[in-house]
Amino acid sequence: MALRVGGLEGLQKLINSKNIGSIELSTGLQVSGTFTRVIEHNGKPVYFQTTGKTALASREKELVGHGTQNHPDGFGSPVGRLKSINLAIEDMGPRDLRAYDIYEGEQVNFEFEGGI
């Protein structure tokens, strides 16, 4: 099965298929596994979950330390924008990150749109 449908519709079709599949996020992160859950807010996915062996990749290459042996029970992640911030994290530069008190090596709590 191959789909070029993204967003909530694509995730729901993948979940309903009960087959192993892959999604690609706007950051380029690719997640492959059996998708079992999506949480939506205002018609958009705000969280997804896989169950069982899952691998993460970028540009069709598995990320070191993120193969199925590292995610044998699944993987979940919020998606979308941070609450009250109009700039996506992946588009932030060093100055933007500092403006929102996001510093490398320090603990940060993120609240995403949709309450995640």
Side-chain angles (χ1 to χ4, degrees), residues 31-87:
V31 182
S32 299
T34 303
F35 290 78
T36 54
R37 182 175 183 212
V38 63
I39 298 173
E40 63 96 10
H41 177 73
N42 292 335
K44 294 183 179 181
V46 294
Y47 181 86
F48 69 86
Q49 177 74 50
T50 66
T51 300
K53 293 181 178 182
T54 302
L56 307 181
S58 180
R59 297 183 184 154
E60 313 299 328
K61 184 172 175 156
E62 187 175 282
L63 298 176
V64 174
H66 289 284
T68 57
Q69 67 279 10
N70 301 96
H71 302 287
D73 301 318
F75 177 82
S77 179
V79 291
R81 295 189 181 266
L82 295 172
K83 186 175 182 180
S84 302
I85 298 177
N86 290 328
L87 185 61

